[in-house]
Amino acid sequence: MKTLIKTTLAIIAFSLVTTGSAFAGDAVAKTTVEALNNSWNKAFNNSDAGLLASLYAENAVLSPGNGKVLSGRAEIESLFKSFFAAGLNNHQLEIVTVDGDDKTLYQVAKWSASGAVKDGVTATYGGITTSVYKRDVNGQWVARTHIWNAGN
C-alpha cells in the first residue's frame, strides 16, 4: 500500500512539474509571437516593404490567398510594395492560437487592414493568417511560411 501511495504521489508530482513547464513554454511562445506581430505591423503600417521582407527567411514561402505561391524575400518585398501602392495600411493581428518550442513557432491569427479611401469610404479587409517561424543562423526569429485568406 505504501508503494502504491508513493508511486501515485510521484506521478502527481511529475504531472504538476511537466504541466507547469508546458504553460511556461506557451507563455514564452505567445510573448515571442506578439513581439514578432508588433514588428510586422509596425513595418507594414510604415509602408516599409524592405523591412517587412527582412522579417522572412531568405527562402520563405508566402501565399497571399490568391492561389499563388511566392518564394524568397525579393518576391515578398515586391508583393508588399504593390499593397502600399494600392493604399493598404492600418494592419492589425489578433492571435487565435500560438504554439511551438525554442526552434519553431507557429500562429493562427485574425488579420485586418484598411484600404484606400474611395468616394469617402475606407475599404476594409480581413481574414485568417497562419505563420511558421524558425530561428535563422543568427538566432533571430523569421517567418518561414506565411499564408492568409481574405474573408471579405
Side-chain angles (χ1 to χ4, degrees):
M1 183 68 170
K2 284 185 180 182
T3 304
L4 179 60
I5 292 171
K6 285 181 182 179
T7 303
T8 303
L9 289 174
I11 291 170
I12 291 170
F14 178 76
S15 297
L16 290 173
V17 169
T18 57
T19 302
S21 59
F23 285 127
D26 289 349
V28 170
K30 185 171 184 184
T31 300
T32 301
V33 171
E34 285 173 341
L36 292 166
N37 287 348
N38 289 338
S39 295
W40 201 96
N41 284 330
K42 183 176 180 181
F44 189 98
N45 294 330
N46 286 328
S47 300
D48 192 335
L51 180 56
L52 265 176
S54 76
L55 300 176
Y56 291 82
E58 288 284 345
N59 60 348
V61 175
L62 182 147
S63 179
N66 61 0
K68 296 186 180 188
V69 176
L70 307 178
S71 185
R73 287 182 177 159
E75 288 184 9
I76 292 169
E77 182 175 355
S78 180
L79 173 73
F80 289 122
K81 283 181 179 178
S82 73
F83 287 174
F84 303 142
L88 289 174
N89 60 64
N90 194 32
H91 192 276
Q92 300 295 317
L93 287 163
E94 177 188 336
I95 294 173
V96 174
T97 188
V98 63
D99 201 359
D101 55 36
D102 63 335
K103 295 179 183 164
T104 305
L105 297 170
Y106 76 84
Q107 79 166 323
V108 175
K110 295 178 185 176
W111 69 270
S112 62
S114 300
V117 177
K118 185 176 180 182
D119 299 325
V121 177
T122 302
T124 58
Y125 305 95
I128 300 294
T129 183
T130 300
S131 302
V132 176
Y133 303 95
K134 294 265 194 187
R135 289 191 186 268
D136 66 10
V137 294
N138 300 314
Q140 299 299 311
W141 289 105
V142 291
R144 180 63 184 91
T145 61
H146 186 188
I147 299 169
W148 67 82
N149 68 12
N152 58 343

